[in-house]
Each structure stands twice: as C-alpha cells, then as structure tokens.
Amino acid sequence: MKGSLIILAFFAVGLLGGIYSVFPEWLLSDDLTTYALFVLMFLVGISIGSDKNAFYVLRKLNFKVVLVPLTVIVGSLLGAAAISLMLADITIKEATAVGAGFGYYSLSSIFISQLHSEELGVIALLSNIFREIITLLAVPVLVKYFGKLAGIASGGATAMDTTLPIIVKFTGKEYGIIAIFSGIILTILVPVLVTMILEVF
C-alpha cells in the first residue's frame, strides 16, 4: 500500500509540475520517455531472468496452472471492453489496450503513450495503479467470497511482487507460487498484447 501511495505522489508532483511548467525543457523531451522505456525493459528482463526460483516453479507446476493467467487475460480484456461501451470518448481498442496492462502501470503506460497518445497513457497509469490499490485493500474480501484465486486474478501482473505478500497472507504459500507464475506470464505479455492491440488489430 505504501509503495502505491508513493507512486501516486510522484505522479501528482509530475502532473502539477507539467501543468505549471516548473521543469526544465530537456525533461519534457519525448526522447527521454523512449530511453526510460528501454531502461525499464532492460530492468524487467534482469528481474525475471535472475529469479531462479520462479523458473524452478514453472518446471514443477501442473499444466493446468496456465489457466490462471489465461483467465486473467480474458477477464481483463473483456471487462475493459465492456466498460468502453459506457464511455463515449474511449473506443474498445483503447480500453482493451489499457486493460492489457494487467496492473503493470509503469510499463503499460509508457508503451501506450508511445504507441497511441499521452492521454491514454495517463489513463493506463491511473487505472493500473487503482487495480493494484484495490487488490491490496480487497484481497481478504475477494478470497472470502470468490475463492483463493480471486486475489491472484485481481492483482494481475503485480501478483508476483507488490501484491504478493497480501495474497500469500490470505491464501497460503502454495497459492503464492501460483501468483508468482501468473504474474511472470502477465508481465511478459504486457508489451506483446499492448503492441498487438494498438498496432495490429
């Protein structure tokens, strides 16, 4: 929860600074965002590649566990598409691109800003931050009424890191392993799906 609030605080400071033009001109360059994306992708690769335990888990788990991230993907995209029908200014394509962030606000928002627009990137950032915060607050309720996989589904890509402690606390360590697996798969697929939705379809 604290980490999410810090992210929101940084976003608010950046937003206010941009509105009131308090930052130097070089900081507003589009190239800087592109370089930040390259660095972020590099760090994501290091993070996943260095987690030897995660790959061990992948080898040991039953094939049925693949259904967990698959249902998160289908549910997130269908849910985002359904919401877009109630919004006049956002198309199904745009909404599903935002939904394909799966809670990974930093990576998805930069991708969407680069491939579509900064406005949609901000929407992606906020919606995915809210997804993480809601997960952190609602896991006990979700687990109680919808089962132990509900917290993992709600967390999306964050189920492997920021929301993992709360998921493990209310579901058990065995579900923590499933959460890590699901989070890794979704993290890997974020740039793939966002790019496909915005540039292929």
Side-chain angles (χ1 to χ4, degrees):
M1 183 65 174
K2 181 180 178 182
S4 297
L5 293 176
I6 291 172
I7 293 294
L8 277 174
F10 271 100
F11 173 73
V13 170
L15 183 64
L16 291 172
I19 290 172
Y20 294 106
S21 302
V22 299
F23 298 122
E25 196 66 32
W26 64 267
L27 199 58
L28 307 178
S29 170
D30 288 339
D31 290 340
L32 192 61
T33 307
T34 303
Y35 297 143
L37 175 61
F38 294 155
V39 172
L40 187 59
M41 291 298 293
F42 177 68
L43 294 175
V44 168
I46 291 174
S47 176
I48 294 173
S50 63
D51 191 348
K52 302 297 189 279
N53 183 56
F55 287 101
Y56 174 77
V57 168
L58 295 183
R59 291 195 298 270
K60 293 295 182 182
L61 287 174
N62 189 295
F63 178 75
K64 289 181 181 178
V65 79
V66 174
L67 294 176
V68 177
L70 180 61
T71 54
V72 174
I73 292 168
V74 173
S76 296
L77 298 184
L78 289 179
I83 292 296
S84 73
L85 300 177
M86 296 180 259
L87 303 173
D89 298 330
I90 296 182
T91 65
I92 291 178
K93 181 178 182 178
E94 291 169 338
T96 52
V98 171
F102 307 125
Y104 199 164
Y105 46 79
S106 54
L107 185 63
S108 63
S109 60
I110 292 176
F111 257 98
I112 291 171
S113 294
Q114 292 292 315
L115 297 175
H116 189 278
S117 66
E118 291 183 357
E119 291 80 6
L120 193 64
V122 170
I123 293 172
L125 176 67
L126 291 175
S127 64
N128 284 296
I129 286 176
F130 287 138
R131 178 172 185 162
E132 179 180 318
I133 292 173
I134 289 169
T135 300
L136 290 169
L137 296 175
V139 162
V141 177
L142 292 172
V143 170
K144 182 177 180 180
Y145 291 102
F146 300 103
K148 292 187 175 183
L149 292 176
I152 298 173
S154 176
T158 70
M160 77 174 196
D161 44 50
T162 54
T163 60
L164 181 61
I166 193 76
I167 289 171
V168 171
K169 180 178 179 180
F170 288 94
T171 62
K173 289 183 179 179
E174 66 276 15
Y175 282 87
I177 294 173
I178 297 173
I180 292 171
F181 171 79
S182 179
I184 288 173
I185 297 299
L186 294 172
T187 297
I188 292 170
L189 290 178
V190 167
V192 176
L193 289 176
V194 169
T195 301
M196 286 179 62
I197 291 168
L198 290 177
E199 294 204 328
V200 177
F201 297 120

